[in-house]
PDB file of all heavy atoms in Angstrom:
ATOM      1  N   ALA A 401       0.816  -1.215   0.000  1.00  0.00           N
ATOM      2  CA  ALA A 401       0.000   0.000   0.000  1.00  0.00           C
ATOM      3  C   ALA A 401       0.847   1.260   0.000  1.00  0.00           C
ATOM      4  O   ALA A 401       0.437   2.294  -0.550  1.00  0.00           O
ATOM      5  CB  ALA A 401      -0.931  -0.004   1.211  1.00  0.00           C
ATOM      6  N   ILE A 402       2.038   1.225   0.588  1.00  0.00           N
ATOM      7  CA  ILE A 402       2.832   2.448   0.724  1.00  0.00           C
ATOM      8  C   ILE A 402       4.127   2.421  -0.087  1.00  0.00           C
ATOM      9  O   ILE A 402       4.822   3.434  -0.149  1.00  0.00           O
ATOM     10  CB  ILE A 402       3.180   2.711   2.207  1.00  0.00           C
ATOM     11  CG1 ILE A 402       4.110   1.620   2.737  1.00  0.00           C
ATOM     12  CG2 ILE A 402       1.919   2.812   3.052  1.00  0.00           C
ATOM     13  CD1 ILE A 402       4.627   1.905   4.137  1.00  0.00           C
ATOM     14  N   ALA A 403       4.456   1.292  -0.721  1.00  0.00           N
ATOM     15  CA  ALA A 403       5.715   1.190  -1.466  1.00  0.00           C
ATOM     16  C   ALA A 403       5.708   2.130  -2.672  1.00  0.00           C
ATOM     17  O   ALA A 403       4.683   2.309  -3.336  1.00  0.00           O
ATOM     18  CB  ALA A 403       5.937  -0.243  -1.928  1.00  0.00           C
ATOM     19  N   SER A 404       6.853   2.721  -2.940  1.00  0.00           N
ATOM     20  CA  SER A 404       6.990   3.582  -4.113  1.00  0.00           C
ATOM     21  C   SER A 404       6.992   2.733  -5.377  1.00  0.00           C
ATOM     22  O   SER A 404       7.131   1.500  -5.332  1.00  0.00           O
ATOM     23  CB  SER A 404       8.294   4.370  -4.022  1.00  0.00           C
ATOM     24  OG  SER A 404       9.405   3.479  -4.083  1.00  0.00           O
ATOM     25  N   LYS A 405       6.870   3.403  -6.529  1.00  0.00           N
ATOM     26  CA  LYS A 405       6.875   2.670  -7.799  1.00  0.00           C
ATOM     27  C   LYS A 405       8.187   1.928  -7.993  1.00  0.00           C
ATOM     28  O   LYS A 405       8.210   0.796  -8.487  1.00  0.00           O
ATOM     29  CB  LYS A 405       6.646   3.639  -8.962  1.00  0.00           C
ATOM     30  CG  LYS A 405       6.566   2.930 -10.322  1.00  0.00           C
ATOM     31  CD  LYS A 405       6.365   3.916 -11.451  1.00  0.00           C
ATOM     32  CE  LYS A 405       6.196   3.176 -12.783  1.00  0.00           C
ATOM     33  NZ  LYS A 405       7.374   2.318 -13.086  1.00  0.00           N
ATOM     34  N   ARG A 406       9.288   2.539  -7.591  1.00  0.00           N
ATOM     35  CA  ARG A 406      10.590   1.886  -7.738  1.00  0.00           C
ATOM     36  C   ARG A 406      10.652   0.602  -6.913  1.00  0.00           C
ATOM     37  O   ARG A 406      11.138  -0.427  -7.406  1.00  0.00           O
ATOM     38  CB  ARG A 406      11.692   2.844  -7.307  1.00  0.00           C
ATOM     39  CG  ARG A 406      13.101   2.292  -7.527  1.00  0.00           C
ATOM     40  CD  ARG A 406      14.144   3.323  -7.169  1.00  0.00           C
ATOM     41  NE  ARG A 406      15.483   2.819  -7.390  1.00  0.00           N
ATOM     42  CZ  ARG A 406      16.589   3.497  -7.135  1.00  0.00           C
ATOM     43  NH1 ARG A 406      16.498   4.737  -6.662  1.00  0.00           N
ATOM     44  NH2 ARG A 406      17.774   2.965  -7.359  1.00  0.00           N
ATOM     45  N   LEU A 407      10.171   0.661  -5.675  1.00  0.00           N
ATOM     46  CA  LEU A 407      10.154  -0.533  -4.841  1.00  0.00           C
ATOM     47  C   LEU A 407       9.237  -1.604  -5.426  1.00  0.00           C
ATOM     48  O   LEU A 407       9.563  -2.793  -5.408  1.00  0.00           O
ATOM     49  CB  LEU A 407       9.709  -0.181  -3.414  1.00  0.00           C
ATOM     50  CG  LEU A 407      10.775   0.394  -2.485  1.00  0.00           C
ATOM     51  CD1 LEU A 407      10.151   0.751  -1.144  1.00  0.00           C
ATOM     52  CD2 LEU A 407      11.914  -0.598  -2.298  1.00  0.00           C
ATOM     53  N   ARG A 408       8.083  -1.187  -5.934  1.00  0.00           N
ATOM     54  CA  ARG A 408       7.168  -2.161  -6.535  1.00  0.00           C
ATOM     55  C   ARG A 408       7.796  -2.812  -7.766  1.00  0.00           C
ATOM     56  O   ARG A 408       7.614  -4.007  -8.000  1.00  0.00           O
ATOM     57  CB  ARG A 408       5.847  -1.481  -6.899  1.00  0.00           C
ATOM     58  CG  ARG A 408       5.013  -1.059  -5.692  1.00  0.00           C
ATOM     59  CD  ARG A 408       3.569  -0.778  -6.094  1.00  0.00           C
ATOM     60  NE  ARG A 408       3.484   0.307  -7.071  1.00  0.00           N
ATOM     61  CZ  ARG A 408       3.361   1.586  -6.743  1.00  0.00           C
ATOM     62  NH1 ARG A 408       3.322   1.957  -5.465  1.00  0.00           N
ATOM     63  NH2 ARG A 408       3.283   2.523  -7.682  1.00  0.00           N
ATOM     64  N   ASP A 409       8.545  -2.031  -8.534  1.00  0.00           N
ATOM     65  CA  ASP A 409       9.216  -2.596  -9.705  1.00  0.00           C
ATOM     66  C   ASP A 409      10.271  -3.614  -9.296  1.00  0.00           C
ATOM     67  O   ASP A 409      10.380  -4.688  -9.900  1.00  0.00           O
ATOM     68  CB  ASP A 409       9.862  -1.477 -10.536  1.00  0.00           C
ATOM     69  CG  ASP A 409       8.830  -0.603 -11.246  1.00  0.00           C
ATOM     70  OD1 ASP A 409       7.674  -1.047 -11.363  1.00  0.00           O
ATOM     71  OD2 ASP A 409       9.190   0.515 -11.664  1.00  0.00           O
ATOM     72  N   TRP A 410      11.053  -3.284  -8.274  1.00  0.00           N
ATOM     73  CA  TRP A 410      12.061  -4.232  -7.790  1.00  0.00           C
ATOM     74  C   TRP A 410      11.403  -5.484  -7.240  1.00  0.00           C
ATOM     75  O   TRP A 410      11.884  -6.607  -7.460  1.00  0.00           O
ATOM     76  CB  TRP A 410      12.929  -3.563  -6.719  1.00  0.00           C
ATOM     77  CG  TRP A 410      14.100  -2.837  -7.287  1.00  0.00           C
ATOM     78  CD1 TRP A 410      14.200  -1.505  -7.555  1.00  0.00           C
ATOM     79  CD2 TRP A 410      15.347  -3.405  -7.702  1.00  0.00           C
ATOM     80  NE1 TRP A 410      15.419  -1.204  -8.098  1.00  0.00           N
ATOM     81  CE2 TRP A 410      16.151  -2.347  -8.198  1.00  0.00           C
ATOM     82  CE3 TRP A 410      15.858  -4.690  -7.691  1.00  0.00           C
ATOM     83  CZ2 TRP A 410      17.445  -2.557  -8.678  1.00  0.00           C
ATOM     84  CZ3 TRP A 410      17.159  -4.899  -8.172  1.00  0.00           C
ATOM     85  CH2 TRP A 410      17.918  -3.847  -8.657  1.00  0.00           C
ATOM     86  N   THR A 411      10.307  -5.314  -6.535  1.00  0.00           N
ATOM     87  CA  THR A 411       9.582  -6.477  -6.005  1.00  0.00           C
ATOM     88  C   THR A 411       9.098  -7.363  -7.136  1.00  0.00           C
ATOM     89  O   THR A 411       9.212  -8.592  -7.069  1.00  0.00           O
ATOM     90  CB  THR A 411       8.393  -6.001  -5.153  1.00  0.00           C
ATOM     91  OG1 THR A 411       8.870  -5.181  -4.078  1.00  0.00           O
ATOM     92  CG2 THR A 411       7.647  -7.197  -4.571  1.00  0.00           C
ATOM     93  N   ALA A 412       8.574  -6.753  -8.188  1.00  0.00           N
ATOM     94  CA  ALA A 412       8.081  -7.529  -9.325  1.00  0.00           C
ATOM     95  C   ALA A 412       9.216  -8.287 -10.008  1.00  0.00           C
ATOM     96  O   ALA A 412       9.043  -9.441 -10.433  1.00  0.00           O
ATOM     97  CB  ALA A 412       7.385  -6.605 -10.317  1.00  0.00           C
ATOM     98  N   ARG A 413      10.378  -7.671 -10.104  1.00  0.00           N
ATOM     99  CA  ARG A 413      11.515  -8.344 -10.728  1.00  0.00           C
ATOM    100  C   ARG A 413      11.978  -9.534  -9.894  1.00  0.00           C
ATOM    101  O   ARG A 413      12.335 -10.587 -10.443  1.00  0.00           O
ATOM    102  CB  ARG A 413      12.667  -7.356 -10.932  1.00  0.00           C
ATOM    103  CG  ARG A 413      12.333  -6.216 -11.879  1.00  0.00           C
ATOM    104  CD  ARG A 413      13.510  -5.309 -12.106  1.00  0.00           C
ATOM    105  NE  ARG A 413      14.530  -5.950 -12.952  1.00  0.00           N
ATOM    106  CZ  ARG A 413      15.638  -5.326 -13.363  1.00  0.00           C
ATOM    107  NH1 ARG A 413      15.849  -4.053 -13.013  1.00  0.00           N
ATOM    108  NH2 ARG A 413      16.514  -5.941 -14.118  1.00  0.00           N
ATOM    109  N   ILE A 414      11.980  -9.364  -8.587  1.00  0.00           N
ATOM    110  CA  ILE A 414      12.356 -10.475  -7.711  1.00  0.00           C
ATOM    111  C   ILE A 414      11.340 -11.605  -7.817  1.00  0.00           C
ATOM    112  O   ILE A 414      11.692 -12.787  -7.890  1.00  0.00           O
ATOM    113  CB  ILE A 414      12.478  -9.972  -6.258  1.00  0.00           C
ATOM    114  CG1 ILE A 414      13.678  -9.031  -6.133  1.00  0.00           C
ATOM    115  CG2 ILE A 414      12.607 -11.141  -5.284  1.00  0.00           C
ATOM    116  CD1 ILE A 414      13.757  -8.318  -4.809  1.00  0.00           C
ATOM    117  N   GLU A 415      10.071 -11.248  -7.857  1.00  0.00           N
ATOM    118  CA  GLU A 415       9.021 -12.256  -7.976  1.00  0.00           C
ATOM    119  C   GLU A 415       9.133 -13.020  -9.286  1.00  0.00           C
ATOM    120  O   GLU A 415       8.893 -14.234  -9.333  1.00  0.00           O
ATOM    121  CB  GLU A 415       7.651 -11.591  -7.864  1.00  0.00           C
ATOM    122  CG  GLU A 415       7.321 -11.088  -6.473  1.00  0.00           C
ATOM    123  CD  GLU A 415       6.054 -10.254  -6.442  1.00  0.00           C
ATOM    124  OE1 GLU A 415       5.614  -9.787  -7.517  1.00  0.00           O
ATOM    125  OE2 GLU A 415       5.509 -10.056  -5.341  1.00  0.00           O
ATOM    126  N   SER A 416       9.507 -12.328 -10.360  1.00  0.00           N
ATOM    127  CA  SER A 416       9.606 -12.990 -11.659  1.00  0.00           C
ATOM    128  C   SER A 416      10.732 -14.015 -11.679  1.00  0.00           C
ATOM    129  O   SER A 416      10.677 -14.986 -12.433  1.00  0.00           O
ATOM    130  CB  SER A 416       9.816 -11.952 -12.766  1.00  0.00           C
ATOM    131  OG  SER A 416      11.094 -11.337 -12.647  1.00  0.00           O
ATOM    132  N   ARG A 417      11.756 -13.801 -10.853  1.00  0.00           N
ATOM    133  CA  ARG A 417      12.873 -14.743 -10.791  1.00  0.00           C
ATOM    134  C   ARG A 417      12.670 -15.815  -9.738  1.00  0.00           C
ATOM    135  O   ARG A 417      13.274 -16.872  -9.825  1.00  0.00           O
ATOM    136  CB  ARG A 417      14.177 -13.975 -10.539  1.00  0.00           C
ATOM    137  CG  ARG A 417      14.628 -13.201 -11.774  1.00  0.00           C
ATOM    138  CD  ARG A 417      15.645 -12.140 -11.423  1.00  0.00           C
ATOM    139  NE  ARG A 417      16.195 -11.501 -12.616  1.00  0.00           N
ATOM    140  CZ  ARG A 417      15.604 -10.538 -13.282  1.00  0.00           C
ATOM    141  NH1 ARG A 417      14.430 -10.089 -12.878  1.00  0.00           N
ATOM    142  NH2 ARG A 417      16.158 -10.013 -14.350  1.00  0.00           N
ATOM    143  N   GLY A 418      11.848 -15.526  -8.747  1.00  0.00           N
ATOM    144  CA  GLY A 418      11.439 -16.510  -7.757  1.00  0.00           C
ATOM    145  C   GLY A 418      12.575 -17.299  -7.154  1.00  0.00           C
ATOM    146  O   GLY A 418      13.385 -16.784  -6.373  1.00  0.00           O
ATOM    147  N   PHE A 419      12.675 -18.569  -7.518  1.00  0.00           N
ATOM    148  CA  PHE A 419      13.666 -19.495  -6.968  1.00  0.00           C
ATOM    149  C   PHE A 419      15.079 -18.943  -7.108  1.00  0.00           C
ATOM    150  O   PHE A 419      15.860 -18.955  -6.153  1.00  0.00           O
ATOM    151  CB  PHE A 419      13.537 -20.844  -7.676  1.00  0.00           C
ATOM    152  CG  PHE A 419      14.593 -21.843  -7.299  1.00  0.00           C
ATOM    153  CD1 PHE A 419      14.401 -22.696  -6.227  1.00  0.00           C
ATOM    154  CD2 PHE A 419      15.777 -21.936  -8.023  1.00  0.00           C
ATOM    155  CE1 PHE A 419      15.383 -23.611  -5.871  1.00  0.00           C
ATOM    156  CE2 PHE A 419      16.752 -22.846  -7.681  1.00  0.00           C
ATOM    157  CZ  PHE A 419      16.555 -23.687  -6.602  1.00  0.00           C
ATOM    158  N   LEU A 420      15.433 -18.461  -8.300  1.00  0.00           N
ATOM    159  CA  LEU A 420      16.795 -17.978  -8.536  1.00  0.00           C
ATOM    160  C   LEU A 420      17.112 -16.740  -7.703  1.00  0.00           C
ATOM    161  O   LEU A 420      18.238 -16.587  -7.212  1.00  0.00           O
ATOM    162  CB  LEU A 420      16.997 -17.670 -10.020  1.00  0.00           C
ATOM    163  CG  LEU A 420      17.092 -18.886 -10.948  1.00  0.00           C
ATOM    164  CD1 LEU A 420      17.237 -18.435 -12.395  1.00  0.00           C
ATOM    165  CD2 LEU A 420      18.255 -19.778 -10.550  1.00  0.00           C
ATOM    166  N   ALA A 421      16.131 -15.867  -7.517  1.00  0.00           N
ATOM    167  CA  ALA A 421      16.364 -14.672  -6.707  1.00  0.00           C
ATOM    168  C   ALA A 421      16.706 -15.047  -5.272  1.00  0.00           C
ATOM    169  O   ALA A 421      17.626 -14.487  -4.666  1.00  0.00           O
ATOM    170  CB  ALA A 421      15.132 -13.773  -6.745  1.00  0.00           C
ATOM    171  N   VAL A 422      15.975 -16.013  -4.722  1.00  0.00           N
ATOM    172  CA  VAL A 422      16.252 -16.453  -3.350  1.00  0.00           C
ATOM    173  C   VAL A 422      17.594 -17.168  -3.280  1.00  0.00           C
ATOM    174  O   VAL A 422      18.382 -16.955  -2.346  1.00  0.00           O
ATOM    175  CB  VAL A 422      15.126 -17.377  -2.848  1.00  0.00           C
ATOM    176  CG1 VAL A 422      15.439 -17.882  -1.438  1.00  0.00           C
ATOM    177  CG2 VAL A 422      13.787 -16.647  -2.862  1.00  0.00           C
ATOM    178  N   LEU A 423      17.874 -18.014  -4.277  1.00  0.00           N
ATOM    179  CA  LEU A 423      19.145 -18.745  -4.284  1.00  0.00           C
ATOM    180  C   LEU A 423      20.323 -17.779  -4.346  1.00  0.00           C
ATOM    181  O   LEU A 423      21.316 -17.951  -3.619  1.00  0.00           O
ATOM    182  CB  LEU A 423      19.179 -19.701  -5.480  1.00  0.00           C
ATOM    183  CG  LEU A 423      20.403 -20.624  -5.568  1.00  0.00           C
ATOM    184  CD1 LEU A 423      20.463 -21.549  -4.363  1.00  0.00           C
ATOM    185  CD2 LEU A 423      20.371 -21.432  -6.866  1.00  0.00           C
ATOM    186  N   TYR A 424      20.232 -16.753  -5.184  1.00  0.00           N
ATOM    187  CA  TYR A 424      21.295 -15.753  -5.260  1.00  0.00           C
ATOM    188  C   TYR A 424      21.486 -15.069  -3.907  1.00  0.00           C
ATOM    189  O   TYR A 424      22.619 -14.831  -3.478  1.00  0.00           O
ATOM    190  CB  TYR A 424      20.959 -14.693  -6.311  1.00  0.00           C
ATOM    191  CG  TYR A 424      21.057 -15.172  -7.743  1.00  0.00           C
ATOM    192  CD1 TYR A 424      20.474 -14.458  -8.780  1.00  0.00           C
ATOM    193  CD2 TYR A 424      21.725 -16.349  -8.063  1.00  0.00           C
ATOM    194  CE1 TYR A 424      20.558 -14.896 -10.099  1.00  0.00           C
ATOM    195  CE2 TYR A 424      21.803 -16.789  -9.371  1.00  0.00           C
ATOM    196  CZ  TYR A 424      21.217 -16.065 -10.385  1.00  0.00           C
ATOM    197  OH  TYR A 424      21.297 -16.504 -11.673  1.00  0.00           O
ATOM    198  N   ALA A 425      20.387 -14.734  -3.252  1.00  0.00           N
ATOM    199  CA  ALA A 425      20.469 -14.053  -1.959  1.00  0.00           C
ATOM    200  C   ALA A 425      21.138 -14.935  -0.912  1.00  0.00           C
ATOM    201  O   ALA A 425      21.858 -14.444  -0.043  1.00  0.00           O
ATOM    202  CB  ALA A 425      19.080 -13.644  -1.486  1.00  0.00           C
ATOM    203  N   ARG A 426      20.914 -16.243  -0.982  1.00  0.00           N
ATOM    204  CA  ARG A 426      21.522 -17.157  -0.008  1.00  0.00           C
ATOM    205  C   ARG A 426      23.002 -17.386  -0.286  1.00  0.00           C
ATOM    206  O   ARG A 426      23.782 -17.626   0.641  1.00  0.00           O
ATOM    207  CB  ARG A 426      20.785 -18.509  -0.019  1.00  0.00           C
ATOM    208  CG  ARG A 426      19.323 -18.441   0.397  1.00  0.00           C
ATOM    209  CD  ARG A 426      19.102 -17.635   1.638  1.00  0.00           C
ATOM    210  NE  ARG A 426      17.725 -17.706   2.115  1.00  0.00           N
ATOM    211  CZ  ARG A 426      17.212 -16.891   3.018  1.00  0.00           C
ATOM    212  NH1 ARG A 426      17.945 -15.925   3.530  1.00  0.00           N
ATOM    213  NH2 ARG A 426      15.958 -17.026   3.419  1.00  0.00           N
ATOM    214  N   ILE A 427      23.386 -17.330  -1.550  1.00  0.00           N
ATOM    215  CA  ILE A 427      24.774 -17.565  -1.906  1.00  0.00           C
ATOM    216  C   ILE A 427      25.620 -16.307  -1.735  1.00  0.00           C
ATOM    217  O   ILE A 427      26.798 -16.379  -1.370  1.00  0.00           O
ATOM    218  CB  ILE A 427      24.871 -18.080  -3.358  1.00  0.00           C
ATOM    219  CG1 ILE A 427      24.226 -19.458  -3.463  1.00  0.00           C
ATOM    220  CG2 ILE A 427      26.320 -18.143  -3.831  1.00  0.00           C
ATOM    221  CD1 ILE A 427      24.167 -20.009  -4.869  1.00  0.00           C
ATOM    222  N   ALA A 428      25.019 -15.147  -1.963  1.00  0.00           N
ATOM    223  CA  ALA A 428      25.770 -13.883  -1.914  1.00  0.00           C
ATOM    224  C   ALA A 428      26.370 -13.663  -0.524  1.00  0.00           C
ATOM    225  O   ALA A 428      25.717 -13.910   0.489  1.00  0.00           O
ATOM    226  CB  ALA A 428      24.855 -12.722  -2.270  1.00  0.00           C
ATOM    227  N   PRO A 429      27.615 -13.204  -0.461  1.00  0.00           N
ATOM    228  CA  PRO A 429      28.239 -12.959   0.849  1.00  0.00           C
ATOM    229  C   PRO A 429      27.643 -11.734   1.535  1.00  0.00           C
ATOM    230  O   PRO A 429      27.172 -10.810   0.879  1.00  0.00           O
ATOM    231  CB  PRO A 429      29.711 -12.728   0.488  1.00  0.00           C
ATOM    232  CG  PRO A 429      29.683 -12.224  -0.925  1.00  0.00           C
ATOM    233  CD  PRO A 429      28.515 -12.920  -1.578  1.00  0.00           C
ATOM    234  N   LEU A 430      27.663 -11.767   2.847  1.00  0.00           N
ATOM    235  CA  LEU A 430      27.256 -10.642   3.689  1.00  0.00           C
ATOM    236  C   LEU A 430      25.766 -10.308   3.609  1.00  0.00           C
ATOM    237  O   LEU A 430      25.346  -9.282   4.131  1.00  0.00           O
ATOM    238  CB  LEU A 430      28.071  -9.383   3.357  1.00  0.00           C
ATOM    239  CG  LEU A 430      29.595  -9.524   3.460  1.00  0.00           C
ATOM    240  CD1 LEU A 430      30.276  -8.215   3.094  1.00  0.00           C
ATOM    241  CD2 LEU A 430      30.011  -9.975   4.846  1.00  0.00           C
ATOM    242  N   MET A 431      24.978 -11.165   2.980  1.00  0.00           N
ATOM    243  CA  MET A 431      23.536 -10.928   2.972  1.00  0.00           C
ATOM    244  C   MET A 431      22.944 -11.407   4.300  1.00  0.00           C
ATOM    245  O   MET A 431      23.135 -12.567   4.676  1.00  0.00           O
ATOM    246  CB  MET A 431      22.879 -11.686   1.818  1.00  0.00           C
ATOM    247  CG  MET A 431      23.127 -11.083   0.458  1.00  0.00           C
ATOM    248  SD  MET A 431      22.298  -9.492   0.240  1.00  0.00           S
ATOM    249  CE  MET A 431      20.599 -10.031   0.077  1.00  0.00           C
ATOM    250  N   PRO A 432      22.250 -10.539   5.048  1.00  0.00           N
ATOM    251  CA  PRO A 432      21.677 -10.949   6.333  1.00  0.00           C
ATOM    252  C   PRO A 432      20.583 -11.997   6.131  1.00  0.00           C
ATOM    253  O   PRO A 432      19.553 -11.711   5.527  1.00  0.00           O
ATOM    254  CB  PRO A 432      21.129  -9.646   6.915  1.00  0.00           C
ATOM    255  CG  PRO A 432      20.939  -8.750   5.728  1.00  0.00           C
ATOM    256  CD  PRO A 432      21.971  -9.129   4.722  1.00  0.00           C
ATOM    257  N   PHE A 433      20.802 -13.188   6.638  1.00  0.00           N
ATOM    258  CA  PHE A 433      19.941 -14.331   6.334  1.00  0.00           C
ATOM    259  C   PHE A 433      18.493 -14.086   6.747  1.00  0.00           C
ATOM    260  O   PHE A 433      17.571 -14.205   5.934  1.00  0.00           O
ATOM    261  CB  PHE A 433      20.494 -15.571   7.049  1.00  0.00           C
ATOM    262  CG  PHE A 433      19.767 -16.844   6.723  1.00  0.00           C
ATOM    263  CD1 PHE A 433      20.140 -17.608   5.638  1.00  0.00           C
ATOM    264  CD2 PHE A 433      18.715 -17.285   7.509  1.00  0.00           C
ATOM    265  CE1 PHE A 433      19.475 -18.789   5.326  1.00  0.00           C
ATOM    266  CE2 PHE A 433      18.039 -18.459   7.221  1.00  0.00           C
ATOM    267  CZ  PHE A 433      18.427 -19.216   6.123  1.00  0.00           C
ATOM    268  N   THR A 434      18.281 -13.743   7.999  1.00  0.00           N
ATOM    269  CA  THR A 434      16.912 -13.608   8.498  1.00  0.00           C
ATOM    270  C   THR A 434      16.242 -12.364   7.943  1.00  0.00           C
ATOM    271  O   THR A 434      15.051 -12.395   7.599  1.00  0.00           O
ATOM    272  CB  THR A 434      16.902 -13.575  10.035  1.00  0.00           C
ATOM    273  OG1 THR A 434      17.499 -14.778  10.531  1.00  0.00           O
ATOM    274  CG2 THR A 434      15.479 -13.484  10.566  1.00  0.00           C
ATOM    275  N   LEU A 435      16.973 -11.270   7.836  1.00  0.00           N
ATOM    276  CA  LEU A 435      16.394 -10.043   7.287  1.00  0.00           C
ATOM    277  C   LEU A 435      15.952 -10.262   5.841  1.00  0.00           C
ATOM    278  O   LEU A 435      14.896  -9.763   5.420  1.00  0.00           O
ATOM    279  CB  LEU A 435      17.407  -8.900   7.365  1.00  0.00           C
ATOM    280  CG  LEU A 435      16.855  -7.498   7.133  1.00  0.00           C
ATOM    281  CD1 LEU A 435      15.770  -7.163   8.147  1.00  0.00           C
ATOM    282  CD2 LEU A 435      17.985  -6.475   7.206  1.00  0.00           C
TER     283      LEU A 435
END
């Protein structure tokens, strides 16, 4: 409800990649796991 257009666009891009987006986040160094 409050996200800007830029945030919504980034969210949509992450959603389109789904599995790969999460896998990249888990493999990338220094990414806070729980956050």
Side-chain angles (χ1 to χ4, degrees):
I402 66 173
S404 65
K405 183 181 184 302
R406 185 176 181 181
L407 279 177
R408 291 197 299 270
D409 290 343
W410 272 97
T411 301
R413 297 183 73 176
I414 292 171
E415 289 171 343
S416 68
R417 287 163 173 81
F419 174 89
L420 288 178
V422 178
L423 185 62
Y424 288 164
R426 297 313 187 194
I427 294 175
L430 304 179
M431 286 291 287
F433 185 88
T434 302
L435 194 59

